[in-house]
Amino acid sequence: MNCNECLAALETESLREMTPDSPVLRHCATCPDCARLTTMLRDKEYETATVLNSLPPMSNPLTVADYAVNTAQRRRVGRVAVMLSGAALAVTLWFVGARIVYPAFEDGDVGPAGVRTETIALTCLSPQQAGDIIEPYIRSQRSRYFTPTSGISTITVRGTAAEVAKSRELIRVFENDPGAACRATATSLSKLERDLWRLQGAFPNPNPNPNPRSNPNPNRGRATTGLLGPSDQPLVKIYRPRESGPTIPEASTPPK
Amino acid sequence: MRLRRSRKRPSEELEVAAKPTYAQLAANAADAQLASLAAAGDDAAFTTLVTRYQPAVFRWALIFSRDADEAEDIAQEVFVRMYRQLDQYRSDGLLSSWLYTITRRTANQTRRTLKRRSRLALSPAARPEREIYTTDPGGRVDRERAAAVIREMFSELPVRQREVFDLIDLQGLTPAEVAARTGMKPVSVRANLFKARSSIRARFLATHPSYSELRK
């Protein structure tokens, strides 16, 4: 055995199991470097084993046993307490879920705050009118209504289920009431007609039709007054309310 | 040229664990009886068990810890767990093997806890230097020496390697016994042992005049 083989053997072999007639020790008998190394390794392992194996524990066994018993019992109690706390938490969560969350889902109050959004089509009321009607009822947090800016006749309500239902009901009532909002009242019609007469006086038709019969106005008898366009078409048509309304004065006599 | 490792065949080193002697069987029967008494609430029996096994548990814990104080903490925790789990002990196995398993698990858990705490600490410099506390001057010297040995020999080794090296080379167990005790495969025991020996001895081998040129 040469030094290389001896070092390779010393790297991984057990020093305890080396007998005097082993190849490593026989080589060490002839090589002082390897002998020094082998002795150093043996001494080091022996010293380590001696130091670790001879070190006694400092704690008294009686104290250790007493502490272990007390701690184990305390932990057992703690575990029971934790289990009871967990059970109480589970019951609380179940109660909250069953009494608050689940009914909210049942009512349709879906979403993080129970808010829902609904768009209501309007046939008679303007969006502003509908907004005026429902505004006092849209009072909860995050509730509001939206009126479209593009002229489409709808209103969008966001609120709780109760608020949305109330808004829908109010709008339905006012939409179905003929004299409620969208049918012009007699007073408003009279006012509008007076304004139109005033405008016509300020801007008279520059090309009045000399012979009305040759070019009969197709709206004659229906469109009663208003500004006339280039071909005698009224710029604004006003229709009388069907049920009741004011008496429309003659076109030739402007109202006073 | 690289060092050539002379490896023995597994069958040469991993001999079958020896059959227990009558004395060991009698000791195990006594342990089992004490354990059943302690599980029934007999504190005196438990104290006897602690007295009998505290040095062994402390010795096992030493190899998993940084110093003797930490080993004391681990040993204390081992006996707390032992008391809680005594009803799970089956008397057909050795009490020492069962205790070693608890020690191993407790030490690993303690190491994880310490690692987590050290991560949570503000900075390593903010932590106080760990001092060995004992009122006995001789014991203090012994403990400081043990801590130095642990630091010098095992600080760089992974836990498995230091465990296998300690059990086989320092405590004299056979690889088969170590495999049975740690739950590792014999091949893994052998591989870990070789790696541990190689790591530990490399520093000393480096002092050989031809070692550096052999490593080239």
Side-chain angles (χ1 to χ4, degrees), chain B residues 64 97 100-101 104 160 163-164 167 175-185 189:
Chain B
F64 292 105
S97 299
Y100 183 80
T101 309
R104 207 162 168 247
R160 279 197 169 190
E163 182 184 11
V164 168
L167 289 173
E177 287 171 335
V178 173
R181 183 172 282 195
T182 58
M184 284 192 268
K185 292 178 183 173
V189 171

Side-chain angles (χ1 to χ4, degrees), chain B residues 83-100:
Chain B
Y83 186 80
R84 284 175 61 192
Q85 300 172 5
L86 267 174
D87 51 348
Q88 299 170 15
Y89 168 62
R90 294 181 306 167
S91 57
D92 54 346
L94 286 175
L95 187 69
S96 58
S97 299
W98 184 66
L99 266 179
Y100 183 80

Side-chain angles (χ1 to χ4, degrees), chain A residues 24-75:
Chain A
V24 174
L25 292 187
R26 270 192 279 134
H27 170 75
C28 289
T30 59
C31 176
D33 286 331
C34 292
R36 180 185 57 81
L37 199 58
T38 307
T39 309
M40 190 200 300
L41 287 176
R42 274 192 157 168
D43 289 350
K44 197 71 194 170
E45 286 194 7
Y46 179 77
E47 185 200 351
T48 306
T50 306
V51 166
L52 294 180
N53 291 337
S54 62
L55 191 68
M58 295 292 289
S59 311
N60 184 357
L62 296 177
T63 312
V64 171
D66 189 45
Y67 178 83
V69 171
N70 289 334
T71 308
Q73 286 171 349
R74 204 165 52 237
R75 284 186 191 173

Side-chain angles (χ1 to χ4, degrees), chain A residues 164-215:
Chain A
V164 173
K166 181 70 178 174
S167 304
R168 196 190 313 117
E169 175 65 17
L170 281 172
I171 289 172
R172 189 184 64 78
V173 166
F174 277 85
E175 288 265 279
N176 292 338
D177 183 4
C182 61
R183 272 77 182 181
T185 60
T187 311
S188 63
L189 276 176
S190 300
K191 184 174 180 304
L192 180 63
E193 201 164 13
R194 274 198 301 275
D195 291 343
L196 285 173
W197 274 112
R198 200 172 296 127
L199 283 170
Q200 195 172 20
F203 304 100
N205 189 1
N207 299 310
N209 189 0
N211 187 7
R213 287 185 180 178
S214 61
N215 185 16

Side-chain angles (χ1 to χ4, degrees), chain A residues 4 8 12-13 53 58-59, chain B residues 4 59 72 143 201 214:
Chain A
N4 294 355
T12 55
E13 278 190 15
N53 291 337
M58 295 292 289
S59 311
Chain B
R4 205 160 36 82
R59 172 66 185 85
E72 294 268 9
R143 295 187 153 231
R201 294 174 184 173
L214 288 173

